Amino acid sequence: MAQRERRPSRQVRKVQRVAAYAVIIRDDRILLSRLAERLTSKELWTLPGGGLEHGEDPRDAVVREVHEETGLDVEIDETAHVYSSHMSNTWRHGRRADAHALRIVYDGWVPVDAPEPRVVEVDGSTVEAAWKPLRDVLDGTVPTVAMVPEVLEQHNAFRLQRVAAYALAVRDGQVLLTRNSARGPHPGTWTLPGGGIDHGEDPRTTVVREVREETGLACTPGEVLDVTSTHFEGTAPSGRREDFHALQVVFEATVEAGEPRVLEDGGTTDAAAWVPLADLGADRQVRDLVHTALAARERLRT
């Protein structure tokens, strides 16, 4: 009896792909890209990013991909998380495949004044880009690829501790205040003039420099009135989401005569003024730092 000839078994094609993505969160929204219909028949969103070209650095790849998919210029952190996904029995380009995907995910951010996202790439894998509410992504209201909730489960805002110095200048029943611009924390609120201490800088030098930049007035810092601490999570002037811890050294200070005006262009301050102490009520948004500094000044005088 003739033996039947065996046909060689058809091997499953092995496919490995390396891609880079960015987690871009602003306040309570995340930037996502919607996959094209040629990739999925249903609505499906993912992190902006994509495959590395041969010889391409992952950082360059994610910057390129985010721009193609959202039209925005992204800044990324130096470090990343790597996620591995192995699907031994799937389909790629109409053929059965053993697929292995390595996904390099960076923390990213775009300027706070960036335009609305829009797809730049023509006939690519993305048909729409949009800021989506984080809560809707986490509860499944916005349909996403499995990678998105996996990444968000491990994602934490960048932790930053900042030491700053401020001036409390009171004259003729008025206090010198500055208003936070759209590039600063809590836009539209009023606070004391001051800011971050540069590396190696004396805090009193910081006060003189910052008061000059934010009010145009020369300042002479005196004694330390108080050291306060504040901790919150929000969007930094750079556009990056931060877990922010601030230590604030408040000096009593005197300033030269003259009307205050902001000298720094495009900074975190857009107005400066002498504000009557009687006006520090509900009608004006004033940061707690102002009230605690005034209370410390009063304690030292009693």
Side-chain angles (χ1 to χ4, degrees):
M1 183 175 179
Q3 199 171 25
R4 174 181 283 179
E5 181 181 353
R6 285 189 176 183
R7 294 183 179 180
S9 61
R10 187 175 181 182
Q11 292 185 343
V12 176
R13 184 168 62 102
K14 292 184 177 181
V15 178
Q16 189 174 62
R17 182 174 185 264
V18 182
Y21 300 86
V23 182
I24 305 172
I25 296 175
R26 178 189 293 170
D27 299 324
D28 58 353
R29 299 183 300 166
I30 182 171
L31 184 62
L32 296 179
S33 300
R34 181 179 175 181
L35 295 177
E37 292 183 359
R38 63 181 178 82
L39 298 180
T40 174
S41 58
K42 58 183 180 180
E43 179 185 352
L44 207 55
W45 295 80
T46 185
L47 299 176
L52 274 65
E53 296 178 355
H54 183 74
E56 187 177 30
D57 186 286
R59 293 175 179 83
D60 295 334
V62 74
V63 170
R64 173 181 55 78
E65 287 282 348
V66 169
H67 182 75
E68 291 175 356
E69 295 184 358
T70 71
L72 303 179
D73 296 323
V74 66
E75 297 283 338
I76 58 169
D77 196 7
E78 290 298 315
T79 59
H81 289 86
V82 178
Y83 299 85
S84 176
S85 175
H86 182 209
M87 296 171 286
S88 60
N89 187 15
T90 187
W91 290 90
R92 289 290 186 272
H93 306 294
R95 293 178 56 186
R96 193 173 298 278
D98 180 350
H100 180 210
L102 288 176
R103 295 155 176 158
I104 306 169
V105 181
Y106 293 90
D107 183 20
W109 59 97
V110 297
V112 293
D113 56 355
E116 286 300 305
R118 61 181 181 86
V119 179
V120 174
E121 185 181 28
V122 178
D123 295 329
S125 60
T126 299
V127 293
E128 187 180 353
W131 292 98
K132 293 292 185 179
L134 263 174
R135 65 178 182 276
D136 292 348
V137 174
L138 293 172
D139 68 14
T141 301
V142 176
T144 66
V145 299
M147 174 180 66
V148 176
E150 181 183 7
V151 169
L152 288 177
E153 184 178 358
Q154 299 182 5
H155 181 267
N156 293 305
F158 176 72
R159 296 176 66 179
L160 178 66
Q161 190 176 64
R162 178 176 180 260
V163 183
Y166 296 86
L168 176 66
V170 178
R171 186 171 65 197
D172 300 329
Q174 297 179 312
V175 60
L176 182 62
L177 298 182
T178 58
R179 188 176 66 190
N180 288 335
S181 71
R183 296 188 61 83
H186 312 290
T189 59
W190 291 81
T191 188
L192 299 178
I197 300 172
D198 291 339
H199 182 78
E201 186 178 38
D202 186 279
R204 285 180 168 79
T205 303
T206 302
V207 170
V208 173
R209 173 177 56 78
E210 289 283 348
V211 171
R212 177 68 177 171
E213 292 174 357
E214 296 183 351
T215 73
L217 302 176
C219 167
T220 303
E223 296 301 314
V224 173
L225 287 174
D226 200 5
V227 178
T228 67
S229 174
T230 183
H231 180 211
F232 62 90
E233 189 169 307
T235 301
S238 64
R240 186 175 197 175
R241 184 158 186 80
E242 293 178 347
D243 178 354
F244 187 73
H245 178 210
L247 293 173
Q248 301 156 321
V249 184
V250 182
F251 291 86
E252 189 166 24
T254 57
V255 297
E256 67 177 353
E259 283 300 312
R261 60 187 181 89
V262 180
L263 298 183
E264 185 181 29
D265 185 31
T268 57
T269 298
D270 63 10
W274 285 101
V275 177
L277 293 172
D279 288 353
L280 301 181
D283 293 339
R284 186 183 292 268
Q285 291 182 301
V286 177
R287 300 294 298 157
D288 289 343
L289 177 64
V290 178
H291 298 293
T292 57
L294 288 169
R297 178 177 180 270
E298 185 64 24
R299 287 196 300 269
L300 290 177
R301 278 160 171 68
T302 58

